Amino acid sequence: MSATPGEEGEQRVMQLELRTMAHGGLVGFPNAGKSSLLRAISNARPAVADYPFTTLTPHVGVIQYQDFEQIAVADIPGIIRGAHENKGLGISFLKHIERCRFLLFVLDLSTAEPWQQLESLKYELEQYEKGLSERPFCVIGSKIDIPESKANFVLLQEKVKQGRLIPVSALTGENIEELLMHLRELYDGYLENTKIDGSTPVKW
């Protein structure tokens, strides 16, 4: 038996970053109702409370359809103004949105001028990564069961002309079925795009 002298090996220090992967991402300000909505549409059970930043790490819920197709939706922790400058741990939250195939902007209809929430959220996404805010999306108006929300939704319809607008209530279940059907439309569109560009779709 013979052997040759070995050589000194290599050493590396590697930093691995795990980002949540889902088909759709719920994007909104703190207390916009994202966690309550995820509980209403999926099997996920994120914590729900009436104070900001209840969600500090993304939660993923899976929606199962009758044809056994499954759509994963992530509850992204609340984004605040200045998030792209890392305010409110913004960058660590924004990174998760990169891996979502379509965006679900959740606006609190009980607050004045809810369309400004959408403008701010899109601005933060665009400042973080150019083109991120242009992914397929829909706008979800939450807390429609609150009286002032109905008037605000009418104003929102006048201000927002792009994307589907769906007013929902996680508390009463109003329009949840409509939202689930539209999520499937967004998902089917994603599958069709993967066929066109020859990529492999993400399945759950």
Side-chain angles (χ1 to χ4, degrees):
M1 180 181 293
S2 62
T4 57
E7 298 180 357
E8 186 175 349
E10 295 181 355
Q11 291 185 347
R12 292 183 181 180
V13 176
M14 302 182 70
Q15 181 176 349
L16 303 178
E17 185 175 64
L18 180 63
R19 299 180 185 178
T20 299
M21 180 172 60
H23 299 115
L26 295 169
V27 182
F29 284 165
N31 275 66
K34 300 182 300 297
S35 297
S36 296
L37 183 57
L38 187 64
R39 292 172 68 100
I41 65 175
S42 76
N43 57 357
R45 291 295 175 264
V48 175
D50 59 355
Y51 53 84
F53 297 108
T54 308
T55 302
L56 294 177
T57 57
H59 292 271
V60 177
V62 178
I63 305 169
Q64 300 190 24
Y65 290 83
Q66 291 184 348
D67 60 356
F68 304 107
E69 198 69 77
Q70 297 184 126
I71 299 178
V73 177
D75 173 13
I76 307 298
I79 304 298
I80 65 171
R81 292 178 176 87
H84 71 280
E85 298 173 339
N86 210 27
K87 293 182 180 179
L89 298 177
I91 290 180
S92 63
F93 295 167
L94 287 166
K95 286 179 178 179
H96 295 287
I97 302 175
E98 288 181 278
R99 303 201 66 182
C100 296
R101 300 322 194 253
F102 48 85
L103 307 178
L104 312 170
F105 291 106
V106 182
L107 311 183
D108 184 352
L109 292 178
S110 68
T111 62
E113 301 183 338
W115 56 89
Q116 291 190 355
Q117 299 172 45
L118 180 62
E119 293 172 358
S120 295
L121 291 169
K122 284 191 169 186
Y123 174 79
E124 294 300 329
L125 267 59
E126 202 63 23
Q127 291 300 304
Y128 172 71
E129 179 184 309
K130 187 172 179 58
L132 186 57
S133 68
E134 298 174 2
R135 293 186 181 181
F137 73 93
C138 78
V139 178
I140 303 168
S142 67
K143 309 178 186 179
I144 192 62
D145 54 288
I146 299 177
E148 55 266 31
S149 295
K150 298 184 184 301
N152 285 337
F153 181 70
V154 174
L155 296 174
L156 179 65
Q157 288 177 301
E158 297 174 356
K159 296 288 185 178
V160 178
K161 300 301 181 182
Q162 291 183 324
R164 178 84 167 267
L165 275 72
I166 304 176
V168 303
S169 170
L171 179 64
T172 67
E174 184 176 348
N175 293 334
I176 292 296
E177 191 64 30
E178 178 184 350
L179 174 59
L180 290 173
M181 290 191 296
H182 186 56
L183 288 180
R184 182 58 189 266
E185 292 173 358
L186 289 170
Y187 175 75
D188 288 343
Y190 156 67
L191 293 182
E192 187 63 31
N193 288 334
T194 59
K195 290 181 182 178
I196 294 173
D197 60 27
S199 59
T200 301
V202 175
K203 292 280 189 174
W204 278 70

